[in-house]
Amino acid sequence: MAVSLGFHIVFAALAVGLPAMLLFAEYRANRTGDPVWMALCRRWARALGILVAVGAVSGTVLSFALGLFWPGLMGRWGAVIGLPFALEAFAFFIEAIFLGIYLFGWDRLSPWAHWASGWPVAIGGVASAWFVVTANAWMQTPTGFATVSDGRVVDVQPIAAMLNPSTPVMTTHMIVAAYMATGFTVGAVYAVGMLKGRRDAYHRRGLAVGLVLGLALAPIQIVVGDAAARLVADRQQAKLAAMEGLWRTTADAPLTIGGIPLPSQERTILGIRIPGGLSWLAYGNTGAVVHGLDEVAPTDRPNVVVVHLAFQIMVAIGFALAALGLWALIGWIRRRRLPDTKWFLRAAAVAGPATFVALEMGWVVTELGRQPWIVYGQTRTADAVTSRPGIAFWLVATVAIYVLLGVACAWLLLRLARTPRGATDLEAPA
Amino acid sequence: MTPFQLEVAILIVIGGGLTLYWLLGGADFGGGVWDLLAIGPMRERERALISDAIGPVWEANHVWLIFVVTGLLAAFPAAFASLGFALYVPFSIAIAGIVFRGAAFAFRSWGDRGSAWQRTWTRVFGVASIVTPLALGAAAGAVASGRIRVAGSTVVAPLWGSWTGPLSIATGLLALASCAFLAASYLTVEATQRDDRMMEEVFRRRALVSGAVSGVVAMLGLLVTRNVSPQLWHGMLTRAWPFALLSAIGGIASLWTVARRRYRLARVAAAVAVASVVTGWGVAQWPYLIVPDMTVADAAAPANALRPIAFGFAIGIALVAPSLFLLFRVFKGSGAQSGTPSYH
């Protein structure tokens, strides 16, 4: 399940973000009649076709997996949290239907009608992401029910569960991340092309559209991410402590940047400490008390090493991307165009994969930071997992299948990126 | 509306989703079956026809399954959890099949003609298209067979035995044969639209064969039911027989119309047959969702949860129905002209 999600998130993120870029390129193409815009649009559409196909099947796996691997979760909580999954099906329906029209309808619709058919794809994708992340947000801060003494769940309010305290921030964080990942990935493809000497209008524009989207969102994401962390500080103190590698409850808690937590000695070494920094970030006051890991029993702690490191990596990448944005902005102010020096292009090329590392790390923080709970404070992961044999086998099989698909998909996309821009992209349909 | 009626209404909508998945998604699997069986000098032409027919619609068709699964999860969480546990193996096989079918279909259109890449993914596409309906059909048979026992929150079902009984074998084969029939009969329409008489004839013959096989398997299924599932058989004799009759009429009519080359009419007849099998199945095992222990009322989420689901279904269907209409009008309607889509 974890593996499926970690895999799905990559395809889903691109499938959420890419339609918006397509809409922009096709809008420009229709307005200006410029073949370069149309070429970009066609190329991205083909990539989207592959990504959504893989995203659709890996998403199906997830819907089944909820029952196959987590009967203890769904049997107890399905009534509370099933709603967003059911609604997500409709959002995905809209996305899939119009994607069919969009991908195969080039010669069956007028240019503007075709453009219009891309909108439901973009909106459906964002809506799917929103619904699914509400379910994850609920696992962090479960609301919308009451429990009675024998553990039964009563007074179910699915709408309240969907709109739990984590929903606004987490859904925003994820959707912005999806757009960033898409922007930087597309930018990276063209940055690599330009580094190889293909510095034509096609590559320049591809780079510009991707990077501008990603870079514009990078500072916004820092603000959203900060809000997300403050929410964690309020609601999931053990998780915050793990993210920050804070072992003991303290006032004036320092912000530890980097560093390696040592669970055996209950301290974090080698980090840079900013006095009072964590108290200030979490509660807006350098003197505030921040709860440490010592407040929860060792068995109730998440894996501090992994969560702390994952969080540090995610934040570091987030700031690096913002710095890249500053670099681009300075270039723009000075010369009215994006920098195209070798080093800038190299940085842009690295930014693409880096956003996915950040995405996965963020997911690791969210999920592992919540352990040992699957529904925070309510159901332990160990109680929710199936008692069927062969989970280990399935884990290995899932990894193997996804590696195979991932490699095949990456190979295709690389091939797509490498194929010279030929007649097929520009040719008027027969 | 009282909660009792509400859960029934939601179950009917989910049943409708299942019917549509069988009719639409099932045909896409059937296309994969014919793709695998395509041999001889015309195989590339057959495959091209199949690919073009499936290409624009398979993802949308596939979402019906997601709709059924998530609808069951939200409205009948107890049944969802029990089935996930009991049918762990067939569902696992089905999702593996789904993953490989979808990915293989997307991947194979790339790569050079006749390359190893294309041949391999074509093979994968075909095999996955056979395995998935078999597994899903067997799982459906298991639900009706009475081999999944539920006591309180404990589900008792052997890992393998619950879905390999005679009824499951019959339903698995019925699913496969009917998917093949649906695909072949739809492909005759596709072939007619592009004035390909030869392909029309090829798939007309296949539709007749697979349709006849489906009919035989369905009758065997009834025989099996009489011998091994007395409870279900009783429901069939007392309540569900009109639907059984209707599905038989629909099935025969679809064969007859294919034989007479009235392909569009054949689609309608096939839809009637499939819809009445699904309805008849539900009516025969009523009031049980999982025979013989879990009733629909037992499995349903509380009314508080059902109301927003029903509301969401209503809005969702209001959005999806016209969109689907548009999709099929663009690609499958009489206005859709021949010619390969520009996607490739």
Side-chain angles (χ1 to χ4, degrees):
Chain A
M1 178 83 189
V3 178
S4 313
L5 246 173
F7 180 82
H8 179 67
I9 209 169
V10 173
F11 292 91
L14 288 171
V16 167
L18 206 48
M21 298 189 56
L22 275 167
L23 284 173
F24 177 74
E26 195 178 1
Y27 174 79
R28 298 292 303 162
N30 285 356
R31 279 301 294 272
T32 61
D34 186 337
V36 173
W37 284 118
M38 193 38 100
L40 284 171
C41 180
R42 291 273 176 138
R43 188 53 67 90
W44 296 343
R46 298 189 73 172
L48 183 64
I50 302 173
L51 292 167
V52 173
V54 178
V57 294
S58 62
T60 314
V61 173
L62 291 175
S63 65
F64 271 98
L66 288 171
L68 289 180
F69 303 144
W70 305 108
L73 174 66
M74 283 306 146
R76 188 166 178 217
W77 299 108
V80 187
I81 204 57
L83 182 65
F85 290 105
L87 297 180
E88 191 270 351
F90 285 110
F92 184 60
F93 237 132
I94 298 289
E95 187 185 350
I97 290 168
F98 283 93
L99 186 75
I101 295 177
Y102 189 89
L103 289 183
F104 292 87
W106 292 101
D107 55 348
R108 295 177 190 233
L109 298 169
S110 75
W112 285 111
H114 184 264
W115 181 71
S117 76
W119 278 92
V121 180
I123 295 167
V126 171
S128 311
W130 191 84
F131 284 125
V132 168
V133 177
T134 62
N136 190 278
W138 177 84
M139 288 158 74
Q140 315 294 336
T141 51
T143 50
F145 62 90
T147 47
V148 288
S149 52
D150 64 351
R152 271 183 310 121
V153 177
V154 294
D155 192 23
V156 174
Q157 304 289 347
I159 305 271
M162 254 174 74
L163 303 177
N164 66 79
S166 295
T167 288
V169 170
M170 277 185 65
T171 51
T172 312
H173 198 47
M174 181 67 228
I175 291 167
V176 172
Y179 278 116
M180 279 176 71
T182 311
F184 282 114
T185 305
V186 170
V189 170
Y190 295 104
V192 171
M194 284 172 73
L195 280 170
K196 286 183 180 160
R198 292 197 287 271
R199 289 169 173 258
D200 48 21
Y202 172 78
H203 282 82
R204 283 181 186 283
R205 270 185 222 169
L207 177 73
V209 175
L211 275 190
V212 167
L213 176 69
L215 294 175
L217 289 173
I220 296 173
Q221 186 70 318
I222 290 175
V223 175
V224 177
D226 172 59
R230 273 187 280 123
L231 188 78
V232 171
D234 274 348
R235 297 273 175 166
Q236 295 175 285
Q237 284 152 358
K239 187 195 231 177
L240 184 83
M243 280 156 62
E244 305 289 358
L246 185 71
W247 292 93
R248 262 164 280 284
T249 300
T250 37
D252 272 323
L255 179 68
T256 309
I257 299 173
I260 300 164
L262 297 177
S264 55
Q265 301 174 21
E266 302 216 333
R267 63 197 188 96
T268 302
I269 56 162
L270 296 176
I272 304 163
R273 287 192 167 70
I274 301 173
L278 181 56
S279 294
W280 182 74
L281 275 177
Y283 302 107
N285 168 7
T286 54
V289 174
V290 180
H291 300 271
L293 287 160
D294 55 352
E295 292 195 7
V296 284
T299 50
D300 283 356
R301 290 178 195 167
N303 184 329
V304 182
V305 180
V306 175
V307 172
H308 177 72
L309 290 180
F311 182 65
Q312 301 299 314
I313 293 170
M314 176 184 77
V315 171
I317 292 173
F319 275 95
L321 294 173
L324 186 67
L326 203 61
W327 185 351
L329 188 68
I330 292 168
W332 179 263
I333 290 168
R334 286 167 73 183
R335 282 190 244 144
R336 293 280 139 203
R337 63 191 177 106
L338 283 176
D340 57 357
T341 59
K342 230 176 204 166
W343 281 106
F344 182 81
L345 292 176
R346 279 181 188 152
V350 174
T355 46
F356 281 101
V357 174
L359 201 63
E360 295 287 352
M361 290 300 130
W363 179 73
V364 165
V365 171
T366 307
E367 294 301 291
L368 292 187
R370 193 188 55 234
Q371 303 301 327
W373 304 100
I374 189 159
V375 179
Y376 193 70
Q378 299 288 341
T379 299
R380 281 169 189 272
T381 310
D383 298 332
V385 72
T386 186
S387 54
R388 285 298 198 194
I391 273 279
F393 165 77
W394 258 109
L395 190 65
V396 174
T398 315
V399 173
I401 291 172
Y402 281 148
V403 167
L404 179 71
L405 290 185
V407 168
C409 194
W411 185 82
L412 270 186
L413 291 174
L414 280 178
R415 197 185 137 102
L416 180 66
R418 282 209 198 104
T419 320
R421 201 153 47 86
T424 45
D425 285 324
L426 293 172
E427 202 173 61
Chain B
M1 200 183 256
T2 68
F4 175 72
Q5 288 167 320
L6 195 57
E7 73 219 18
V8 176
I10 291 175
L11 189 63
I12 290 171
V13 175
I14 294 175
L18 187 63
T19 305
L20 286 168
Y21 180 60
W22 191 346
L23 282 171
L24 302 167
D28 295 339
F29 285 114
V33 175
W34 296 123
D35 193 278
L36 186 71
L37 297 179
I39 44 168
M42 289 191 302
R43 63 172 180 270
E44 286 311 318
R45 214 160 124 194
E46 288 171 26
R47 284 187 174 141
L49 183 71
I50 293 166
S51 283
D52 292 345
I54 297 177
V57 293
W58 76 267
E59 277 164 333
N61 292 344
H62 175 72
V63 186
W64 285 113
L65 179 65
I66 301 181
F67 167 77
V68 169
V69 172
T70 55
L72 207 60
L73 186 171
F76 302 95
F80 180 79
S82 305
L83 292 178
F85 183 84
L87 302 173
Y88 182 69
V89 178
F91 281 159
S92 298
I93 294 172
I95 58 179
I98 286 165
V99 168
F100 277 113
R101 194 279 303 248
F105 184 71
F107 289 168
R108 77 157 176 179
S109 64
W110 299 73
D112 305 315
R113 247 175 115 77
S115 61
W117 167 278
Q118 209 173 44
R119 279 204 312 275
T120 309
W121 285 116
T122 293
R123 190 76 44 84
V124 171
F125 171 62
V127 172
S129 296
I130 290 179
V131 169
T132 312
L134 276 176
L136 289 176
V143 172
S145 70
R147 286 172 177 242
I148 301 171
R149 302 302 304 256
V150 185
S153 59
T154 317
V155 182
V156 183
L159 197 54
W160 299 87
S162 56
W163 59 281
T164 50
L167 190 60
S168 284
I169 292 173
T171 50
L173 290 175
L174 178 63
L176 181 62
S178 62
C179 288
F181 167 71
L182 291 170
S185 75
Y186 299 168
L187 284 166
T188 56
V189 180
E190 298 275 335
T192 323
Q193 271 176 6
R194 55 178 71 184
D195 287 325
D196 192 336
R197 293 276 157 235
M198 192 187 272
M199 283 297 119
E200 180 201 324
E201 203 44 44
V202 163
F203 283 106
R204 175 172 163 269
R205 231 176 295 132
R206 289 179 182 172
L208 290 173
V209 172
S210 54
V213 171
S214 306
V216 171
V217 175
M219 277 186 281
L220 284 177
L222 281 180
L223 264 176
V224 169
T225 308
R226 199 186 71 169
N227 290 321
V228 303
S229 306
Q231 192 177 341
L232 196 65
W233 182 246
H234 179 75
M236 184 73 88
L237 288 184
T238 52
R239 293 186 302 266
W241 62 269
F243 297 101
L245 197 64
L246 192 61
S247 72
I249 294 171
I252 292 167
S254 64
L255 270 179
W256 188 72
T257 43
V258 167
R260 299 296 306 270
R261 296 196 165 77
R262 302 283 301 275
Y263 303 121
R264 282 174 189 278
L265 215 55
R267 284 206 280 211
V268 178
V272 169
V274 166
S276 32
V277 169
V278 173
T279 317
W281 169 28
V283 171
Q285 69 170 56
W286 181 261
Y288 294 98
L289 194 55
I290 304 173
V291 182
D293 294 318
M294 188 180 276
T295 65
V296 173
D298 292 340
N304 276 352
L306 292 178
R307 254 176 258 122
I309 293 168
F311 193 63
F313 272 14
I315 295 175
I317 290 168
L319 286 172
V320 163
S323 312
L324 271 178
F325 177 75
L326 186 68
L327 175 72
F328 284 94
R329 210 185 66 126
V330 170
F331 293 106
K332 306 282 168 186
S334 46
Q337 287 307 304
S338 56
T340 9
S342 61
Y343 177 65
H344 296 292

